[in-house]
mmCIF file of all heavy atoms in Angstrom:
data_model
loop_
_atom_site.group_PDB
_atom_site.id
_atom_site.type_symbol
_atom_site.label_atom_id
_atom_site.label_comp_id
_atom_site.label_asym_id
_atom_site.label_seq_id
_atom_site.Cartn_x
_atom_site.Cartn_y
_atom_site.Cartn_z
ATOM 1 N N LEU N 5 -13.011 -6.263 -12.097
ATOM 2 C CA LEU N 5 -11.728 -5.901 -11.493
ATOM 3 C C LEU N 5 -11.923 -5.067 -10.236
ATOM 4 O O LEU N 5 -11.326 -5.349 -9.186
ATOM 5 C CB LEU N 5 -10.884 -5.129 -12.512
ATOM 6 C CG LEU N 5 -9.516 -4.663 -12.023
ATOM 7 C CD1 LEU N 5 -8.579 -5.843 -11.808
ATOM 8 C CD2 LEU N 5 -8.895 -3.669 -13.005
ATOM 9 N N PHE N 6 -12.776 -4.038 -10.322
ATOM 10 C CA PHE N 6 -12.974 -3.169 -9.171
ATOM 11 C C PHE N 6 -13.693 -3.897 -8.037
ATOM 12 O O PHE N 6 -13.425 -3.651 -6.861
ATOM 13 C CB PHE N 6 -13.755 -1.926 -9.591
ATOM 14 C CG PHE N 6 -13.038 -1.084 -10.618
ATOM 15 C CD1 PHE N 6 -13.752 -0.354 -11.561
ATOM 16 C CD2 PHE N 6 -11.657 -1.018 -10.645
ATOM 17 C CE1 PHE N 6 -13.098 0.414 -12.515
ATOM 18 C CE2 PHE N 6 -10.988 -0.240 -11.599
ATOM 19 C CZ PHE N 6 -11.717 0.469 -12.536
ATOM 20 N N GLY N 7 -14.620 -4.789 -8.381
ATOM 21 C CA GLY N 7 -15.281 -5.571 -7.353
ATOM 22 C C GLY N 7 -14.310 -6.460 -6.608
ATOM 23 O O GLY N 7 -14.389 -6.602 -5.371
ATOM 24 N N ILE N 8 -13.375 -7.060 -7.330
ATOM 25 C CA ILE N 8 -12.364 -7.910 -6.688
ATOM 26 C C ILE N 8 -11.489 -7.086 -5.756
ATOM 27 O O ILE N 8 -11.181 -7.498 -4.629
ATOM 28 C CB ILE N 8 -11.527 -8.632 -7.753
ATOM 29 C CG1 ILE N 8 -12.388 -9.684 -8.463
ATOM 30 C CG2 ILE N 8 -10.300 -9.284 -7.133
ATOM 31 C CD1 ILE N 8 -11.749 -10.270 -9.701
ATOM 32 N N PHE N 9 -11.081 -5.908 -6.195
ATOM 33 C CA PHE N 9 -10.247 -5.064 -5.335
ATOM 34 C C PHE N 9 -11.022 -4.596 -4.104
ATOM 35 O O PHE N 9 -10.446 -4.451 -3.021
ATOM 36 C CB PHE N 9 -9.692 -3.877 -6.120
ATOM 37 C CG PHE N 9 -8.342 -4.155 -6.730
ATOM 38 C CD1 PHE N 9 -8.247 -4.781 -7.966
ATOM 39 C CD2 PHE N 9 -7.180 -3.824 -6.073
ATOM 40 C CE1 PHE N 9 -7.015 -5.064 -8.538
ATOM 41 C CE2 PHE N 9 -5.942 -4.095 -6.628
ATOM 42 C CZ PHE N 9 -5.852 -4.720 -7.863
ATOM 43 N N LEU N 10 -12.304 -4.342 -4.258
ATOM 44 C CA LEU N 10 -13.112 -3.977 -3.095
ATOM 45 C C LEU N 10 -13.120 -5.118 -2.077
ATOM 46 O O LEU N 10 -12.926 -4.897 -0.872
ATOM 47 C CB LEU N 10 -14.531 -3.631 -3.535
ATOM 48 C CG LEU N 10 -15.457 -2.994 -2.488
ATOM 49 C CD1 LEU N 10 -16.480 -2.090 -3.170
ATOM 50 C CD2 LEU N 10 -16.195 -4.036 -1.659
ATOM 51 N N LEU N 11 -13.322 -6.339 -2.560
ATOM 52 C CA LEU N 11 -13.307 -7.493 -1.667
ATOM 53 C C LEU N 11 -11.926 -7.701 -1.043
ATOM 54 O O LEU N 11 -11.817 -8.058 0.136
ATOM 55 C CB LEU N 11 -13.736 -8.743 -2.418
ATOM 56 C CG LEU N 11 -15.219 -8.841 -2.793
ATOM 57 C CD1 LEU N 11 -15.474 -10.092 -3.610
ATOM 58 C CD2 LEU N 11 -16.101 -8.848 -1.537
ATOM 59 N N LEU N 12 -10.879 -7.483 -1.830
ATOM 60 C CA LEU N 12 -9.530 -7.632 -1.285
ATOM 61 C C LEU N 12 -9.271 -6.627 -0.166
ATOM 62 O O LEU N 12 -8.605 -6.947 0.828
ATOM 63 C CB LEU N 12 -8.494 -7.462 -2.401
ATOM 64 C CG LEU N 12 -8.385 -8.609 -3.405
ATOM 65 C CD1 LEU N 12 -7.438 -8.239 -4.531
ATOM 66 C CD2 LEU N 12 -7.926 -9.888 -2.724
ATOM 67 N N GLY N 13 -9.799 -5.420 -0.318
ATOM 68 C CA GLY N 13 -9.653 -4.441 0.747
ATOM 69 C C GLY N 13 -10.316 -4.907 2.034
ATOM 70 O O GLY N 13 -9.766 -4.751 3.128
ATOM 71 N N ALA N 14 -11.505 -5.496 1.902
ATOM 72 C CA ALA N 14 -12.200 -6.020 3.077
ATOM 73 C C ALA N 14 -11.414 -7.160 3.709
ATOM 74 O O ALA N 14 -11.282 -7.232 4.940
ATOM 75 C CB ALA N 14 -13.602 -6.478 2.681
ATOM 76 N N VAL N 15 -10.883 -8.058 2.875
ATOM 77 C CA VAL N 15 -10.111 -9.198 3.392
ATOM 78 C C VAL N 15 -8.877 -8.720 4.142
ATOM 79 O O VAL N 15 -8.555 -9.228 5.227
ATOM 80 C CB VAL N 15 -9.725 -10.141 2.228
ATOM 81 C CG1 VAL N 15 -8.690 -11.170 2.683
ATOM 82 C CG2 VAL N 15 -10.960 -10.857 1.691
ATOM 83 N N VAL N 16 -8.175 -7.741 3.582
ATOM 84 C CA VAL N 16 -6.963 -7.228 4.221
ATOM 85 C C VAL N 16 -7.278 -6.641 5.594
ATOM 86 O O VAL N 16 -6.497 -6.784 6.550
ATOM 87 C CB VAL N 16 -6.297 -6.173 3.304
ATOM 88 C CG1 VAL N 16 -5.268 -5.346 4.062
ATOM 89 C CG2 VAL N 16 -5.645 -6.867 2.110
ATOM 90 N N MET N 17 -8.435 -5.986 5.715
ATOM 91 C CA MET N 17 -8.800 -5.390 7.002
ATOM 92 C C MET N 17 -9.296 -6.424 8.007
ATOM 93 O O MET N 17 -9.384 -6.138 9.197
ATOM 94 C CB MET N 17 -9.890 -4.332 6.791
ATOM 95 C CG MET N 17 -9.381 -3.028 6.248
ATOM 96 S SD MET N 17 -8.093 -2.271 7.266
ATOM 97 C CE MET N 17 -9.012 -1.908 8.755
ATOM 98 N N ALA N 18 -9.618 -7.622 7.539
ATOM 99 C CA ALA N 18 -10.235 -8.622 8.408
ATOM 100 C C ALA N 18 -9.236 -9.326 9.315
ATOM 101 O O ALA N 18 -9.646 -9.953 10.304
ATOM 102 C CB ALA N 18 -10.976 -9.661 7.560
ATOM 103 N N ASP N 19 -7.949 -9.250 9.005
ATOM 104 C CA ASP N 19 -6.950 -9.956 9.810
ATOM 105 C C ASP N 19 -5.680 -9.119 9.856
ATOM 106 O O ASP N 19 -5.147 -8.716 8.815
ATOM 107 C CB ASP N 19 -6.660 -11.330 9.196
ATOM 108 C CG ASP N 19 -5.915 -12.253 10.157
ATOM 109 O OD1 ASP N 19 -4.828 -11.860 10.640
ATOM 110 O OD2 ASP N 19 -6.416 -13.367 10.407
ATOM 111 N N GLU N 20 -5.206 -8.868 11.055
ATOM 112 C CA GLU N 20 -4.043 -7.993 11.237
ATOM 113 C C GLU N 20 -2.785 -8.557 10.585
ATOM 114 O O GLU N 20 -1.847 -7.811 10.274
ATOM 115 C CB GLU N 20 -3.797 -7.774 12.729
ATOM 116 C CG GLU N 20 -2.756 -6.708 13.042
ATOM 117 C CD GLU N 20 -2.613 -6.463 14.530
ATOM 118 O OE1 GLU N 20 -3.452 -6.971 15.302
ATOM 119 O OE2 GLU N 20 -1.653 -5.779 14.907
ATOM 120 N N ARG N 21 -2.769 -9.870 10.327
ATOM 121 C CA ARG N 21 -1.585 -10.462 9.707
ATOM 122 C C ARG N 21 -1.356 -9.938 8.300
ATOM 123 O O ARG N 21 -0.210 -9.867 7.830
ATOM 124 C CB ARG N 21 -1.714 -11.987 9.709
ATOM 125 C CG ARG N 21 -1.512 -12.627 11.079
ATOM 126 C CD ARG N 21 -1.775 -14.121 11.047
ATOM 127 N NE ARG N 21 -3.207 -14.405 10.911
ATOM 128 C CZ ARG N 21 -3.703 -15.644 10.895
ATOM 129 N NH1 ARG N 21 -2.887 -16.693 10.987
ATOM 130 N NH2 ARG N 21 -5.009 -15.842 10.777
ATOM 131 N N PHE N 22 -2.430 -9.569 7.603
ATOM 132 C CA PHE N 22 -2.263 -8.978 6.273
ATOM 133 C C PHE N 22 -1.537 -7.641 6.363
ATOM 134 O O PHE N 22 -0.644 -7.349 5.556
ATOM 135 C CB PHE N 22 -3.621 -8.774 5.607
ATOM 136 C CG PHE N 22 -4.313 -10.044 5.202
ATOM 137 C CD1 PHE N 22 -5.527 -10.391 5.770
ATOM 138 C CD2 PHE N 22 -3.751 -10.885 4.261
ATOM 139 C CE1 PHE N 22 -6.181 -11.555 5.401
ATOM 140 C CE2 PHE N 22 -4.397 -12.055 3.881
ATOM 141 C CZ PHE N 22 -5.614 -12.395 4.454
ATOM 142 N N ILE N 23 -1.926 -6.819 7.321
ATOM 143 C CA ILE N 23 -1.293 -5.504 7.487
ATOM 144 C C ILE N 23 0.181 -5.670 7.841
ATOM 145 O O ILE N 23 1.040 -4.946 7.320
ATOM 146 C CB ILE N 23 -2.025 -4.691 8.562
ATOM 147 C CG1 ILE N 23 -3.501 -4.497 8.190
ATOM 148 C CG2 ILE N 23 -1.345 -3.346 8.768
ATOM 149 C CD1 ILE N 23 -3.714 -3.731 6.901
ATOM 150 N N LYS N 24 0.478 -6.622 8.702
ATOM 151 C CA LYS N 24 1.880 -6.876 9.050
ATOM 152 C C LYS N 24 2.663 -7.341 7.825
ATOM 153 O O LYS N 24 3.832 -6.967 7.649
ATOM 154 C CB LYS N 24 1.956 -7.912 10.165
ATOM 155 C CG LYS N 24 1.435 -7.413 11.511
ATOM 156 C CD LYS N 24 1.547 -8.490 12.581
ATOM 157 C CE LYS N 24 1.067 -7.966 13.927
ATOM 158 N NZ LYS N 24 1.136 -9.008 14.993
ATOM 159 N N ALA N 25 2.016 -8.156 6.985
ATOM 160 C CA ALA N 25 2.686 -8.619 5.766
ATOM 161 C C ALA N 25 2.938 -7.465 4.810
ATOM 162 O O ALA N 25 3.988 -7.414 4.149
ATOM 163 C CB ALA N 25 1.844 -9.700 5.098
ATOM 164 N N ILE N 26 1.989 -6.527 4.714
ATOM 165 C CA ILE N 26 2.193 -5.353 3.861
ATOM 166 C C ILE N 26 3.352 -4.511 4.384
ATOM 167 O O ILE N 26 4.213 -4.064 3.616
ATOM 168 C CB ILE N 26 0.907 -4.520 3.780
ATOM 169 C CG1 ILE N 26 -0.200 -5.293 3.056
ATOM 170 C CG2 ILE N 26 1.170 -3.190 3.064
ATOM 171 C CD1 ILE N 26 -1.556 -4.620 3.089
ATOM 172 N N ASP N 27 3.370 -4.289 5.699
ATOM 173 C CA ASP N 27 4.463 -3.518 6.298
ATOM 174 C C ASP N 27 5.818 -4.166 6.017
ATOM 175 O O ASP N 27 6.819 -3.470 5.811
ATOM 176 C CB ASP N 27 4.256 -3.399 7.808
ATOM 177 C CG ASP N 27 3.077 -2.512 8.175
ATOM 178 O OD1 ASP N 27 2.660 -1.717 7.312
ATOM 179 O OD2 ASP N 27 2.572 -2.621 9.304
ATOM 180 N N ARG N 28 5.840 -5.481 5.988
ATOM 181 C CA ARG N 28 7.089 -6.213 5.771
ATOM 182 C C ARG N 28 7.496 -6.263 4.300
ATOM 183 O O ARG N 28 8.674 -6.117 3.958
ATOM 184 C CB ARG N 28 6.916 -7.637 6.305
ATOM 185 C CG ARG N 28 8.132 -8.547 6.161
ATOM 186 C CD ARG N 28 7.724 -9.997 6.330
ATOM 187 N NE ARG N 28 6.849 -10.438 5.243
ATOM 188 C CZ ARG N 28 5.894 -11.356 5.374
ATOM 189 N NH1 ARG N 28 5.664 -11.926 6.536
ATOM 190 N NH2 ARG N 28 5.144 -11.696 4.325
ATOM 191 N N ASP N 29 6.519 -6.456 3.412
ATOM 192 C CA ASP N 29 6.822 -6.795 2.018
ATOM 193 C C ASP N 29 6.724 -5.643 1.032
ATOM 194 O O ASP N 29 7.049 -5.834 -0.148
ATOM 195 C CB ASP N 29 5.876 -7.907 1.538
ATOM 196 C CG ASP N 29 6.234 -9.265 2.133
ATOM 197 O OD1 ASP N 29 7.274 -9.357 2.806
ATOM 198 O OD2 ASP N 29 5.464 -10.224 1.939
ATOM 199 N N TRP N 30 6.270 -4.447 1.448
ATOM 200 C CA TRP N 30 6.048 -3.425 0.439
ATOM 201 C C TRP N 30 7.313 -3.062 -0.346
ATOM 202 O O TRP N 30 7.221 -2.771 -1.558
ATOM 203 C CB TRP N 30 5.387 -2.179 1.040
ATOM 204 C CG TRP N 30 6.232 -1.307 1.908
ATOM 205 C CD1 TRP N 30 6.286 -1.301 3.263
ATOM 206 C CD2 TRP N 30 7.143 -0.285 1.468
ATOM 207 N NE1 TRP N 30 7.184 -0.363 3.700
ATOM 208 C CE2 TRP N 30 7.708 0.280 2.609
ATOM 209 C CE3 TRP N 30 7.521 0.196 0.224
ATOM 210 C CZ2 TRP N 30 8.649 1.304 2.568
ATOM 211 C CZ3 TRP N 30 8.461 1.222 0.151
ATOM 212 C CH2 TRP N 30 9.014 1.758 1.317
ATOM 213 N N PRO N 31 8.528 -3.098 0.246
ATOM 214 C CA PRO N 31 9.708 -2.838 -0.614
ATOM 215 C C PRO N 31 9.894 -3.911 -1.688
ATOM 216 O O PRO N 31 10.309 -3.596 -2.816
ATOM 217 C CB PRO N 31 10.874 -2.844 0.386
ATOM 218 C CG PRO N 31 10.250 -2.516 1.713
ATOM 219 C CD PRO N 31 8.922 -3.195 1.675
ATOM 220 N N ILE N 32 9.596 -5.177 -1.360
ATOM 221 C CA ILE N 32 9.688 -6.244 -2.356
ATOM 222 C C ILE N 32 8.655 -6.024 -3.454
ATOM 223 O O ILE N 32 8.937 -6.207 -4.650
ATOM 224 C CB ILE N 32 9.472 -7.615 -1.685
ATOM 225 C CG1 ILE N 32 10.543 -7.856 -0.622
ATOM 226 C CG2 ILE N 32 9.469 -8.735 -2.713
ATOM 227 C CD1 ILE N 32 10.310 -9.116 0.186
ATOM 228 N N LEU N 33 7.453 -5.638 -3.058
ATOM 229 C CA LEU N 33 6.387 -5.379 -4.029
ATOM 230 C C LEU N 33 6.728 -4.186 -4.918
ATOM 231 O O LEU N 33 6.400 -4.173 -6.108
ATOM 232 C CB LEU N 33 5.069 -5.146 -3.298
ATOM 233 C CG LEU N 33 4.554 -6.344 -2.489
ATOM 234 C CD1 LEU N 33 3.414 -5.925 -1.566
ATOM 235 C CD2 LEU N 33 4.101 -7.459 -3.422
ATOM 236 N N LEU N 34 7.397 -3.198 -4.357
ATOM 237 C CA LEU N 34 7.845 -2.063 -5.154
ATOM 238 C C LEU N 34 8.870 -2.510 -6.197
ATOM 239 O O LEU N 34 8.830 -2.082 -7.360
ATOM 240 C CB LEU N 34 8.458 -0.986 -4.257
ATOM 241 C CG LEU N 34 9.055 0.244 -4.949
ATOM 242 C CD1 LEU N 34 7.994 0.975 -5.766
ATOM 243 C CD2 LEU N 34 9.686 1.182 -3.927
ATOM 244 N N ALA N 35 9.774 -3.392 -5.788
ATOM 245 C CA ALA N 35 10.766 -3.914 -6.725
ATOM 246 C C ALA N 35 10.108 -4.700 -7.856
ATOM 247 O O ALA N 35 10.612 -4.714 -8.984
ATOM 248 C CB ALA N 35 11.767 -4.802 -5.979
ATOM 249 N N ALA N 36 8.984 -5.352 -7.567
ATOM 250 C CA ALA N 36 8.253 -6.067 -8.621
ATOM 251 C C ALA N 36 7.447 -5.115 -9.486
ATOM 252 O O ALA N 36 7.324 -5.309 -10.702
ATOM 253 C CB ALA N 36 7.333 -7.108 -7.985
ATOM 254 N N ALA N 37 6.891 -4.063 -8.873
ATOM 255 C CA ALA N 37 6.015 -3.147 -9.605
ATOM 256 C C ALA N 37 6.775 -2.304 -10.618
ATOM 257 O O ALA N 37 6.251 -1.990 -11.694
ATOM 258 C CB ALA N 37 5.278 -2.237 -8.624
ATOM 259 N N LEU N 38 7.989 -1.922 -10.326
ATOM 260 C CA LEU N 38 8.726 -1.025 -11.218
ATOM 261 C C LEU N 38 8.977 -1.644 -12.597
ATOM 262 O O LEU N 38 8.657 -1.006 -13.617
ATOM 263 C CB LEU N 38 10.045 -0.608 -10.558
ATOM 264 C CG LEU N 38 9.891 0.340 -9.362
ATOM 265 C CD1 LEU N 38 11.240 0.571 -8.695
ATOM 266 C CD2 LEU N 38 9.273 1.659 -9.783
ATOM 267 N N PRO N 39 9.513 -2.865 -12.701
ATOM 268 C CA PRO N 39 9.676 -3.427 -14.056
ATOM 269 C C PRO N 39 8.344 -3.736 -14.729
ATOM 270 O O PRO N 39 8.228 -3.608 -15.954
ATOM 271 C CB PRO N 39 10.489 -4.707 -13.810
ATOM 272 C CG PRO N 39 10.293 -5.042 -12.376
ATOM 273 C CD PRO N 39 10.118 -3.738 -11.677
ATOM 274 N N LEU N 40 7.331 -4.146 -13.949
ATOM 275 C CA LEU N 40 6.012 -4.375 -14.538
ATOM 276 C C LEU N 40 5.464 -3.089 -15.144
ATOM 277 O O LEU N 40 4.860 -3.101 -16.227
ATOM 278 C CB LEU N 40 5.049 -4.912 -13.481
ATOM 279 C CG LEU N 40 5.207 -6.371 -13.068
ATOM 280 C CD1 LEU N 40 4.315 -6.677 -11.866
ATOM 281 C CD2 LEU N 40 4.879 -7.303 -14.224
ATOM 282 N N THR N 41 5.666 -1.980 -14.456
ATOM 283 C CA THR N 41 5.195 -0.683 -14.950
ATOM 284 C C THR N 41 5.876 -0.324 -16.266
ATOM 285 O O THR N 41 5.230 0.165 -17.202
ATOM 286 C CB THR N 41 5.447 0.409 -13.898
ATOM 287 O OG1 THR N 41 4.713 0.094 -12.702
ATOM 288 C CG2 THR N 41 5.020 1.768 -14.405
#
């Protein structure tokens, strides 16, 4: 699990489009995370 997250961190930093997607979608992800929690 931790190895996958480490790789995901590298992938996210490799292309600026990921960062833009995070900036855009984090409220949606928060709405998904709350009931999952």
